[in-house]
Amino acid sequence: MNDDELIAALAAGDDTALRELFTRHAPWLAARLRAALPPPDVEDVLQETFLAVWKGASGYRPRGMPQAWMWVIARNQAAQIGRAS
């Protein structure tokens, strides 16, 4: 299954799709986040990112790269944590 299909499956209620997206994308997201955040915040941002992916899957429209969509979510979550600090 490609990422667009996984996001569609997630929107349809398939929780295994979220695990697969996490397995595929958490490592590179974490690496990018580590460049801008302290290590403890990276874990929090990843959790919040994939929670937002789960909640937002039904609104996802495959017009671009799913990785870009997830990165925007992660960046927004990082900004929220930065404001809360």
Side-chain angles (χ1 to χ4, degrees):
M1 235 184 237
N2 68 34
D3 290 339
D4 288 331
E5 293 167 335
L6 283 172
I7 295 167
L10 180 58
D14 182 354
D15 292 337
T16 60
L18 182 61
R19 283 192 286 275
E20 180 62 27
L21 285 168
F22 185 88
T23 299
R24 288 182 188 184
H25 299 288
W28 72 263
L29 284 168
R32 288 187 78 175
L33 291 167
R34 276 189 213 101
L37 297 172
D41 288 346
V42 171
E43 288 292 321
D44 292 341
V45 170
L46 280 177
Q47 287 178 9
E48 293 300 321
T49 296
F50 283 94
L51 179 61
V53 165
W54 175 63
K55 288 180 178 179
S58 63
Y60 173 76
R61 300 294 173 256
R63 290 182 218 137
M65 299 285 294
Q67 297 88 342
W69 178 68
M70 286 184 267
W71 173 243
V72 168
I73 293 171
R75 191 181 64 207
N76 291 341
Q77 294 300 323
Q80 288 180 9
I81 283 184
R83 279 182 281 214
S85 298

